[in-house]
Amino acid sequence: MSTTWHILGAGSLGTLWATRLARAGVPVRLILRDEARLASYQAAKGLTLVEQGVEHTYPVIGETPDCPEPIHRLLVACKAYDAQSAVAQLHARLVPDADLILLQNGLGSQDAVAAQLPQARCIFASSTEGAFRDGDWRVVFAGHGYTWLGDVGHPTPPLWLDDLHAAGIPHAWSTEILTRLWRKLALNCAINPLTVLYQCRNGGLQDHQCEVATLCAELTELLEWCGQPAAAEQLHSEVERVIQATAANYSSMYQDVNNGRRTEISYLLGYACEAAARHQLTLPHLLQVQARLVEHLRAHGLASD
Ligand code: NAD
Ligand code: KPL
């Protein structure tokens, strides 16, 4: 019997992973916040995955954080701002050499989780898959993509990648996972805040080309100072390409703000501005966009951290 995947966070990505693993016959258990959420989940009789309009429900076993069973493998599928406290609840259950797979976007939360668990193996992931919830315990698979996984301290891939293969989760092991995470962070910093400030789709940034170019120049400088020259390569042309390719889409940050949800700003723009300060870099446009975004979030009654 292969090792059980414990999934922490029954949101969009957690459900997308849990259902595909369960469909492949891999043992999966879902960790829910408390008894009330567990009762609601049990009433729904499982997790539903909607793919190309076709839905299937998978009766994945649910449990609360205080279930006594030890955890050997944990997929952390919370938002970046919840990851550290959500994992902390499970300290007593995690075996010392547990594997954690951290799906969070941006940077900062992964190091915070890894620092809590010095003996565990923390694998960082960067995903371009897209999913959203259209109801409790339901997820719509909205965009096919890829997930890169890597371990900054240990280049050997884990054997359980076979489970991802069996589950049809497109993935690759990356020995340069930090480059991927920094690159994605830079793309998100160049695009997402401006779509919120200008209240536009990604394609709307074609009307703000100078501002995008200035931000890209500052982000390129930052990546180089942070020892990430590969993530800095051709950043501006990549940002322009993404703006064009996703012109009709609303960025994830735009969607969060417009749905009244907390953003992951501290792990994107906030992380970039803190890194710039650490290197005593002057990046006035990046700082200005952060200040404007914080003001916008406050004006809309949303958390600005
Ligand atoms: P989500 O908000 O849909 O799901 C997070 C879930 O975690 C929620 O159900 C929440 O209740 C749960 N949670 C939080 N704290 C918990 C706790 N203590 N115990 C149990 N459950 C807890 O978020 P998501 O969209 O799945 O995103 C997860 C991460 O993946 C984010 O960092 C996001 O940026 C990244 N990401 C998402 C997508 C996507 O398409 N949704 C794509 C790429 C990357
Ligand atoms: O990842 C994105 C997001 O919306 O979060 C893109 C489409 C790249 C825009 O930054």
Side-chain angles (χ1 to χ4, degrees):
M1 182 77 166
S2 59
T3 303
T4 297
W5 284 74
H6 281 87
I7 313 267
L8 177 58
S12 307
L13 279 201
T15 303
L16 189 60
W17 280 60
T19 48
R20 288 179 295 177
L21 287 164
R23 179 166 65 189
V26 173
V28 182
R29 292 176 79 100
L30 194 61
I31 302 175
L32 302 163
R33 275 180 198 272
D34 51 34
E35 290 294 344
R37 291 300 285 161
L38 182 58
S40 156
Y41 174 65
Q42 283 168 341
K45 297 192 166 32
L47 290 173
T48 299
L49 172 64
V50 185
E51 261 180 309
Q52 290 164 340
V54 180
E55 54 181 78
H56 281 286
T57 300
Y58 300 89
V60 172
I61 296 170
E63 63 182 42
T64 55
D66 54 9
C67 164
E69 196 187 312
I71 298 173
H72 294 263
R73 187 176 302 148
L74 181 69
L75 180 78
V76 183
C78 309
K79 286 282 172 61
Y81 47 76
D82 281 328
Q84 204 179 347
S85 58
V87 170
Q89 288 178 292
L90 302 174
H91 266 195
R93 294 182 58 190
L94 285 159
V95 300
D97 61 347
D99 281 355
L100 279 79
I101 300 98
L102 307 176
L103 280 180
Q104 288 61 49
N105 200 13
L107 281 163
S109 70
Q110 300 89 344
D111 284 342
V113 169
Q116 282 182 301
L117 299 165
Q119 283 180 277
R121 185 176 193 196
C122 286
I123 286 168
F124 298 3
S126 179
S127 182
T128 59
E129 291 196 310
F132 64 87
R133 283 183 280 176
D134 71 344
D136 240 6
W137 318 116
R138 293 172 56 87
V139 71
V140 179
F141 196 175
H144 287 267
Y146 220 76
T147 302
W148 285 271
L149 302 126
D151 177 347
V152 287
H154 201 314
T156 317
L159 295 174
W160 48 255
L161 291 184
D162 285 349
D163 285 353
L164 305 192
H165 188 71
I169 298 175
H171 68 280
W173 183 250
S174 168
T175 51
E176 307 295 338
I177 191 67
L178 280 182
T179 303
R180 291 206 173 269
L181 284 163
W182 269 107
R183 179 74 163 192
K184 177 102 190 296
L185 177 144
L187 280 165
N188 287 167
C189 286
I191 297 173
N192 298 9
L194 293 182
T195 63
V196 174
L197 294 172
Y198 292 118
Q199 283 295 289
C200 65
R201 294 175 199 261
N202 293 351
L205 298 186
Q206 280 156 345
D207 297 338
H208 302 278
Q209 286 179 13
C210 277
E211 207 169 348
V212 171
T214 312
L215 278 181
C216 287
E218 290 190 357
L219 286 161
T220 300
E221 196 183 340
L222 175 66
L223 291 171
E224 283 165 354
W225 274 89
C226 290
Q228 295 295 331
E233 264 173 42
Q234 308 288 324
L235 178 66
H236 183 211
S237 50
E238 171 81 350
V239 166
E240 285 185 320
R241 188 194 65 73
V242 172
I243 287 174
Q244 218 167 32
T246 63
N249 299 354
Y250 287 109
S251 76
S252 55
M253 191 180 274
Y254 176 103
Q255 292 179 44
D256 282 342
V257 173
N258 281 53
N259 288 305
R261 293 190 298 250
R262 183 175 171 187
T263 69
E264 295 182 299
I265 177 178
S266 295
Y267 303 87
L268 298 166
L269 211 43
Y271 188 88
C273 289
E274 274 175 30
R278 262 200 314 279
H279 290 283
Q280 296 179 326
L281 276 177
T282 311
L283 302 176
H285 295 89
L286 205 61
L287 279 177
Q288 197 208 52
V289 168
Q290 191 198 26
R292 284 162 63 200
L293 184 60
V294 164
E295 200 183 297
H296 182 99
L297 295 175
R298 287 193 182 137
H300 287 76
L302 292 174
S304 56
D305 61 347

